[in-house]
């Protein structure tokens, strides 16, 4: 294959869906792309997700460039089938993937291009770099007082696989985002004795699909509309489709749905949480304040003694060590631009997969891939 512009490859860091999509789109444009992956397999982050997980976006709207997700995988694709799809995707596009290589730093070369510092003392020079190391890179645990000396089980949600270890146990899930909500449902359906969900900020909950119409399709339609308009429409729809759970300890949010999205909080897609709270099987409680004398202290002053605490408290992007000295990250550690735009002062450096869009992660990864390939093929 003939490279465009010069003989150096474009290096893609990360063999998850974003990295594979970018590499495939570049290859289609005649640009040599080499994917560097620190683990031994593609889709490493998906292999670490909990067993129950399915895409919250539809199969039809989640395919990456050049290869549809098989119809046999169903409308809501399971974790295992996502892994199968990504493995097939790499094979189908004949992507050049080097595993077991972790890029630890990126710096400018004297001329146009980038120098990658990698494990084993490797130094690799590329004419451009696509960073696709993933939205869920480094587990984040709050610095709760007393947590380090807490004698009970305290794990991040990234370590959770299924409910089997928690049969008949009293479990506190901390965090009411999509991950915490789904783990809470998985626990109670899988035989946990008691499940409480610690809520700091009341989430917006939406039905994954209503009369066959997926929430993702609505997200695509409204994403460019005025925030206030979407907030009003979202409030009406939620009041019609989601029961008031105030009596069960989960009041309706006091901020608009799209306002919250703009702040980085995606609505919780219901996969059983509404019914579990309505029937009392999952109990919302106040946020965790601290740990003290073997107990969990909640923000309302109450103390509880669960057998296990699972913290669904999110992830950090973990980009500071990689590109922290290049002035390409915002105050939250996220790239200042993504997709087909390179940061000002860093031509040839691209990012994909570091936003959490209402229109669906896989869909936006596919769009980013095409934009990056278009920019680099010019």
């Amino acid at each position: 294959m003939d490279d465009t512009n010069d003989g150096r490859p474009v290096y893609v860091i990360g063999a998850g869906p974003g990295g594979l999509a970018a590499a495939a789109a570049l290859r289609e444009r005649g640009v040599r792309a080499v994917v560097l992956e620190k683990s031994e397999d593609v889709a490493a982050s998906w292999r670490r997700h909990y067993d129950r997980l399915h895409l919250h976006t539809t199969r039809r709207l989640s395919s990456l460039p050049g290869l549809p997700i098989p119809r046999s995988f169903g409308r809501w694709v399971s974790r295992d089938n996502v892994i199968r799809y990504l493995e097939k995707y790499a094979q189908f596009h004949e992507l050049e993937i080097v595993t077991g290589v972790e890029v630890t730093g990126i710096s400018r070369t004297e001329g146009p291009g980038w120098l990658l510092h990698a494990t084993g003392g490797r130094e690799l020079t590329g004419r451009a770099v696509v960073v696709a190391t993933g939205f869920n890179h480094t587990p984040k645990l709050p610095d709760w007082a007393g947590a380090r000396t807490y004698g009970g089980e305290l794990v991040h949600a990234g370590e959770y696989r299924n409910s089997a270890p928690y049969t008949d146990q009293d479990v506190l899930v901390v965090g009411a985002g999509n991950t915490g909500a789904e783990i809470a449902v998985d626990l109670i359906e899988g035989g946990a004795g008691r499940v409480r969900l610690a809520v700091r900020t009341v989430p917006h909950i939406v039905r994954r699909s209503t009369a066959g119409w997926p929430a993702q399709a609505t997200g695509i339609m409204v994403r460019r509309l005025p925030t206030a308009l979407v907030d009003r429409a979202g409030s009406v729809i939620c009041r019609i489709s989601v029961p008031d759970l105030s009596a069960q300890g989960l009041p309706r949010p006091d901020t608009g749905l799209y306002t919250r999205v703009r702040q980085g909080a995606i609505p919780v897609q219901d996969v059983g949480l509404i019914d579990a709270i309505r029937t009392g099987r999952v109990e919302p409680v106040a946020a965790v304040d601290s740990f003290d004398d073997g107990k969990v202290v909640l923000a309302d002053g109450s103390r509880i003694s669960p057998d296990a605490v699972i913290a669904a408290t999110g992830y950090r992007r973990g980009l500071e060590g990689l590109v922290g000295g290049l002035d390409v990250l915002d105050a939250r550690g996220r790239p200042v631009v993504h997709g087909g735009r390179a940061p000002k002062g860093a031509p040839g450096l691209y990012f994909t997969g570091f936003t959490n869009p209402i229109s669906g992660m896989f869909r936006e990864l596919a769009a980013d891939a095409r934009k990056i390939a278009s920019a680099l093929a010019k």
Side-chain angles (χ1 to χ4, degrees):
M1 181 184 298
D2 292 331
D3 296 347
T4 60
N5 292 1
D6 65 31
R8 295 174 297 171
V10 173
Y11 282 108
V12 180
I13 306 175
L20 298 179
L26 286 164
R27 191 178 192 282
E28 184 181 15
R29 290 290 196 118
V31 179
R32 183 187 174 204
V34 178
V35 182
L36 304 175
E37 168 58 47
K38 69 178 181 180
S39 73
E40 297 302 321
D41 299 287
V42 303
S45 64
W46 275 88
R47 297 176 194 276
R48 295 192 298 268
H49 286 315
Y50 48 92
D51 298 346
R52 178 195 178 99
L53 181 64
H54 285 65
L55 283 178
H56 290 167
T57 54
T58 66
R59 171 187 53 78
R60 188 175 64 82
L61 294 174
S62 300
S63 294
L64 301 179
L67 185 68
I69 298 176
R71 290 176 60 89
S72 61
F73 286 1
R75 193 182 198 197
W76 312 105
V77 184
S78 70
R79 183 205 69 167
D80 289 349
N81 280 336
V82 169
I83 295 169
R84 292 188 184 98
Y85 171 65
L86 295 177
E87 289 174 338
K88 178 64 176 178
Y89 191 85
Q91 295 168 0
F92 179 83
H93 287 292
E94 299 180 339
L95 301 182
E96 190 173 347
I97 302 172
V98 183
T99 59
V101 175
E102 181 177 6
V103 179
T104 56
I106 302 173
S107 58
R108 295 294 303 270
T109 57
E110 291 187 3
W114 294 91
L115 177 65
L116 282 68
H117 307 271
T119 50
R122 296 178 180 89
E123 292 190 342
L124 308 168
T125 304
R127 71 176 184 87
V129 177
V130 180
V131 180
T133 49
F135 191 84
N136 295 337
H137 186 273
T138 305
K140 178 175 64 177
L141 272 175
D143 189 20
W144 288 306
R148 295 181 182 178
T149 57
Y150 177 62
E153 180 181 348
L154 171 60
V155 298
H156 189 270
E159 299 178 53
Y160 179 85
R161 293 295 172 269
N162 55 57
S163 62
Y166 303 98
T167 301
D168 296 328
Q169 289 195 15
D170 181 340
V171 186
L172 174 67
V173 180
V174 183
N178 276 291
T179 297
E182 190 155 6
I183 288 176
V185 172
D186 192 49
L187 284 163
I188 203 65
E189 291 182 352
R194 183 180 188 181
V195 176
R196 285 174 281 199
L197 181 64
V199 181
R200 181 171 299 278
T201 303
V202 177
H204 285 273
I205 305 175
V206 299
R207 301 287 186 180
R208 187 169 63 172
S209 179
T210 303
W213 180 262
Q216 179 191 10
T218 302
I220 294 169
M221 291 174 60
V222 306
R223 62 180 306 204
R224 301 193 187 283
L225 295 178
T227 300
L229 176 63
V230 180
D231 280 350
R232 288 195 294 271
S235 176
V236 172
I237 293 171
C238 286
R239 287 182 180 277
I240 293 172
S241 62
V242 178
D244 186 356
L245 300 171
S246 299
Q248 289 77 31
L250 194 70
R252 295 191 186 277
D254 57 7
T255 54
L257 185 151
Y258 206 35
T259 295
R260 193 79 65 78
V261 169
R262 295 289 193 185
Q263 297 168 350
I266 295 297
V268 170
Q269 298 227 11
D270 179 47
V271 290
L273 182 67
I274 292 173
D275 186 61
I277 291 177
R278 185 178 57 81
T279 57
R281 294 181 298 150
V282 170
E283 309 165 46
V285 296
V288 171
D289 179 74
S290 60
F291 292 78
D292 181 54
D293 194 26
K295 297 184 182 297
V296 181
V297 183
L298 303 180
D300 61 4
S302 60
R303 291 170 172 252
I304 60 175
S305 302
D307 298 310
V309 179
I310 300 173
T313 46
Y315 294 81
R316 295 185 176 88
R317 311 294 82 81
L319 291 170
E320 289 79 5
L322 192 64
V323 296
L326 299 174
D327 194 26
V328 296
L329 304 177
D330 65 16
R332 294 188 297 173
R334 301 187 184 190
V336 293
V337 295
H338 67 94
R341 297 171 57 201
K344 184 178 180 181
L349 181 62
Y350 299 89
F351 295 88
T352 182
F354 298 100
T355 60
N356 196 12
I358 194 173
S359 51
M361 177 68 84
F362 273 51
R363 183 178 184 273
E364 294 307 312
L365 291 175
D368 278 357
R370 295 185 181 99
K371 292 173 183 176
I372 291 169
S374 177
L376 285 171
K378 291 179 181 178

